[in-house]
Amino acid sequence: MMFEVWNPLGIVGVITAFNFPCAVLGWNACIALVCGNCVVWKGAPTTPLITIAVTKLVAEVLERNKLPGAIFTSFCGGADIGQAIAKDTRIPLVSFTGSSKVGLMVQQTVNERFGKCLLELSGNNAIIVMDDADIKLAVRSILFAAVGTAGQRCTTCRRLFLHESIYADVLDQLIGVYKQVKIGNPLEKGTLVGPLHTPTSVENFQKGISVIKSQGGKILTGGSVLESAGNFVQPTIVEISPDAPVVKEELFGPVLYVMKFQTLEEAIALNNSVPQGLSSSIFTQRPGTIFKWIGPRGSDCGIVNANIPTNGAEIGGAFGGEKATGGGREAGSDSWKQYMRRSTCTINYGSELPLAQGINFG
């Protein structure tokens, strides 16, 4: 009799980023716990109160059900804790969310001890707007994807490719709505753009704008830090060449690069021309274009959308990307398999030993 058995891995390490400190933990920890594992969680060093609060809630639930709270353990701190998790041979799987640079170091450390990694790394996501697109729908979607959460989502739209026949029209409308965006306290009704996470994030925004200008980028709107309390910057639209090196990098803020194309094939090539491969979207009313976009010669990303933004619709699906985004997938129908050990079992219920080689023991 031959069959497969799935057993818990034992301990799953989860290292999360600042921007979604609860959601990414939930995607990993909930499945890991259901699969019978214990979880060791390191939250972002800048969100320690969330780490403490969530851990307390989980511990209370476990203890109320007569399970030890230590099934779910957390740490607050810096890179030294992450390195300890990556090096520890008692942790067979490490799930890491963060930059491609740090993710590569985590992967190398875990691989050295033959552990497994689940990586959710940088995104450099693009929206393509074809000549037959619903322009009003596209503009609303671009605005939400590019400036929501102040551009601090891994699925934020950072590159926009407009067909040359509609380039001026879409750009005019987009600049108009950008100038209407309310910046301020995100808890107040009507506010779309809140602050960047830290003063360091503001410095990175300023450095990014300087690099953009040095590489021929033209600021169409925004591009400045607000002179007020808090880490507030202006949502920014930049007209730039797709060959500019800065376009290949992820600038974690509300900066959108706008570029022109002539054909679908050119747009797909531009979409695929960056190291990252998380999310992508196309706006068109042609079914043939959509099926080419989602097919083998289309987008090379892990999330491939049509007529919706690059973010906000992936809940419940297999979330993750290709290339420098890491190749990991969280959620989705078979995501539980990553958190378990798979064994193929063959049981002989008789006294005979069948051998394919035809050896006769007499």
Side-chain angles (χ1 to χ4, degrees):
M1 180 180 179
M2 182 181 289
F3 57 96
E4 291 186 349
V5 172
W6 295 85
N7 287 305
L9 290 172
I11 301 175
V12 173
V14 182
I15 303 173
T16 57
F18 75 86
N19 55 346
F20 286 91
C22 289
V24 175
L25 168 72
W27 292 348
N28 285 278
C30 290
I31 299 177
L33 292 169
V34 166
C35 289
N37 300 289
C38 294
V39 172
V40 175
W41 173 36
K42 177 198 172 299
T46 53
T47 57
L49 296 182
I50 292 177
T51 302
I52 293 167
V54 172
T55 303
K56 189 173 185 294
L57 289 171
V58 174
E60 289 173 356
V61 172
L62 292 172
E63 290 168 2
R64 194 160 58 239
N65 288 276
K66 295 180 170 51
L67 294 168
I71 287 175
F72 183 94
T73 305
S74 67
F75 295 93
C76 296
D80 56 331
I81 296 174
Q83 290 169 359
I85 291 173
K87 291 178 179 178
D88 199 319
T89 57
R90 297 171 297 178
I91 304 176
L93 172 65
V94 176
S95 173
F96 174 83
T97 301
S99 69
S100 295
K101 179 181 178 181
V102 178
L104 179 60
M105 292 189 289
V106 171
Q107 184 181 50
Q108 290 171 339
T109 301
V110 175
N111 284 348
E112 284 177 356
R113 60 177 177 83
F114 296 102
K116 297 195 296 182
C117 272
L118 197 168
L119 300 175
E120 297 289 352
L121 310 177
S122 302
N124 194 353
N125 317 294
I127 289 178
I128 297 171
V129 184
M130 297 297 295
D131 55 338
D132 68 321
D134 181 330
I135 302 301
K136 290 183 178 180
L137 176 64
V139 169
R140 291 199 303 270
S141 299
I142 295 162
L143 179 69
F144 171 74
V147 309
T149 57
Q152 297 171 108
R153 294 185 184 213
C154 52
T155 52
T156 291
C157 177
R158 309 197 184 281
R159 298 178 296 142
L160 175 61
F161 301 113
L162 303 175
H163 190 275
E164 60 180 3
S165 66
I166 57 167
Y167 184 84
D169 185 19
V170 174
L171 201 50
D172 286 346
Q173 292 190 39
L174 196 58
I175 291 172
V177 295
Y178 260 61
K179 291 180 178 178
Q180 299 174 36
V181 168
K182 181 181 177 181
I183 305 170
N185 185 347
L187 298 179
E188 294 179 358
K189 186 176 180 180
T191 301
L192 181 60
V193 178
L196 295 185
H197 186 54
T198 62
T200 300
S201 302
V202 176
E203 291 175 10
N204 291 337
F205 172 85
Q206 291 175 306
K207 291 176 183 177
I209 295 298
S210 296
V211 172
I212 287 166
K213 291 177 179 178
S214 72
Q215 295 182 8
K218 180 182 178 183
I219 308 296
L220 301 181
T221 186
S224 300
V225 176
L226 296 187
E227 297 296 331
S228 63
N231 306 314
F232 295 97
V233 302
Q234 294 176 328
T236 304
I237 298 176
V238 177
E239 194 172 48
I240 195 168
S241 166
D243 298 323
V246 72
V247 175
K248 312 293 184 185
E249 302 170 0
E250 182 189 45
L251 177 57
F252 217 62
V255 178
L256 180 65
Y257 303 119
V258 183
M259 292 153 279
K260 191 183 299 186
F261 72 91
Q262 294 181 328
T263 66
L264 173 62
E265 290 73 20
E266 180 188 1
I268 291 174
L270 290 169
N271 176 80
N272 298 348
S273 67
V274 296
Q276 309 85 356
L278 179 53
S279 187
S280 57
S281 186
I282 194 168
F283 283 79
T284 180
Q285 299 182 58
R286 301 187 189 100
T289 299
I290 293 174
F291 281 102
K292 183 166 185 178
W293 171 242
I294 67 175
R297 296 186 179 181
S299 172
D300 64 359
C301 296
I303 299 172
V304 185
N305 295 335
N307 298 319
I308 59 170
T310 51
N311 53 11
E314 66 278 346
I315 297 172
F319 182 89
E322 300 300 319
K323 303 187 296 187
T325 304
R329 293 296 187 278
E330 293 163 341
S333 59
D334 63 347
S335 58
W336 60 272
K337 295 180 179 179
Q338 301 170 103
Y339 304 90
M340 303 200 79
R341 173 170 52 83
R342 184 180 190 177
S343 302
T344 299
C345 304
T346 304
I347 301 176
N348 183 6
Y349 286 101
S351 59
E352 299 294 326
L353 184 63
L355 294 172
Q357 292 82 358
I359 299 174
N360 184 0
F361 288 95

